[in-house]
Amino acid sequence: LGYGDLTPRQAVQMRIHRVTPEYVRELREAGFSDLSPQAVVEMRIHRITPEFVRELQALGYRDLSRRQLLQMGIHGVTPEFIREVRAAGFGDVSPETLVRMKIHGIGSDRVRTRRRGE
């Protein structure tokens, strides 16, 4: 997979966080082909799965950077949350705005309240 020059520390980190060849291959298939060992470990730590990436892509978020994905994952911006935000009438919202909504407590409960007009 191109990680032939791993340091012992990098190899241990990848093992600890269950970075498997399959995980790396699936991330590459989802569009993330130039990930350093540290970047792959960070994505795994923050539960950025290939499925998560594909779901976001299906919602129109096709060109997300690794940083944007990490921020969304860290702050709990899920595909379900995005659908609720859209259903509440907010339309297409940038990844940064979705993260800010979560940070400031605009969770799915408040989005549903807005949708009902309360």
Side-chain angles (χ1 to χ4, degrees):
L1 294 172
Y3 295 119
D5 59 345
L6 290 174
T7 66
R9 178 183 167 96
Q10 289 171 321
V12 168
Q13 288 295 310
M14 292 178 97
R15 176 71 175 174
I16 288 171
H17 296 291
R18 297 184 316 265
V19 174
T20 64
E22 179 181 81
Y23 178 73
V24 173
R25 281 188 204 101
E26 288 179 353
L27 284 177
R28 288 179 179 176
E29 289 171 9
F32 292 88
S33 58
D34 286 336
L35 295 173
S36 69
Q38 180 180 345
V40 175
V41 168
E42 286 176 355
M43 290 180 79
R44 188 70 170 168
I45 287 171
H46 295 294
R47 295 180 293 279
I48 305 302
T49 64
E51 296 80 20
F52 179 70
V53 174
R54 284 191 289 272
E55 284 185 74
L56 292 176
Q57 289 170 340
L59 289 168
Y61 296 94
R62 290 180 186 85
D63 296 317
L64 294 172
S65 68
R66 185 178 66 84
R67 183 179 182 282
Q68 287 172 315
L69 275 173
L70 286 171
Q71 289 296 310
M72 293 172 88
I74 289 167
H75 294 290
V77 175
T78 63
E80 295 77 23
F81 177 74
I82 295 169
R83 285 190 281 277
E84 288 175 359
V85 165
R86 289 179 177 174
F90 288 104
D92 289 327
V93 180
S94 73
E96 293 77 16
T97 299
L98 289 165
V99 168
R100 282 194 304 273
M101 290 173 79
K102 285 298 244 180
I103 288 172
H104 294 290
I106 309 298
S108 57
D109 58 333
R110 293 194 184 205
V111 170
R112 279 194 294 279
T113 301
R114 176 184 157 98
R115 189 172 52 215
R116 288 193 309 257
E118 297 175 5

